[in-house]
Amino acid sequence: MIANELSNEQGHIESASGFLIDLMPDGVEAAKRIRMLPGEETTRIPIIVLTANAFFDDANRCREAGMNAHLAKPIDIDRLVQTIVDVMKV
């Protein structure tokens, strides 16, 4: 999982500006694990999900997992860049 790979021995994320996560196969679980890692930064780090599932329920499930944004594929590069700018302001 991405959260395991990016954490050090103490379970902290050492360095990351944000995450772009594909919803499949385990994007929701990855986001939950990132949010559960110790350290205040893990609650604030931006997580953007990229998915072919553009349904309302999928977007809600992503928000509930702690993701900041939900973008449908195929990716519109201008929208992706604007979303990154927006979530980095938080």
Side-chain angles (χ1 to χ4, degrees):
M1 299 293 304
I2 190 168
N4 291 340
E5 293 170 8
L6 291 172
S7 62
N8 64 18
E9 298 81 36
Q10 293 79 37
H12 295 276
I13 294 174
E14 291 186 26
S15 177
S17 298
F19 295 97
L20 288 175
I21 298 177
D22 195 306
L23 186 61
M24 296 307 215
D26 293 323
V28 171
E29 183 63 27
K32 288 178 181 178
R33 288 184 180 210
I34 292 167
R35 295 295 187 224
M36 290 184 337
L37 288 170
E40 186 179 328
E41 67 280 357
T42 63
T43 62
R44 293 189 317 248
I45 195 163
I47 302 174
I48 300 170
V49 66
L50 309 175
T51 179
N53 298 324
F55 302 107
F56 183 74
D57 289 343
D58 293 314
N60 280 340
R61 189 167 55 111
C62 292
R63 276 189 226 95
E64 288 170 1
M67 297 181 195
N68 300 83
H70 178 272
L71 295 176
K73 295 177 186 176
I75 299 300
D76 175 321
I77 297 300
D78 292 331
R79 185 164 182 217
L80 174 61
V81 170
Q82 186 59 54
T83 300
I84 292 169
V85 168
D86 292 344
V87 299
M88 295 302 284
K89 291 178 185 176
V90 175

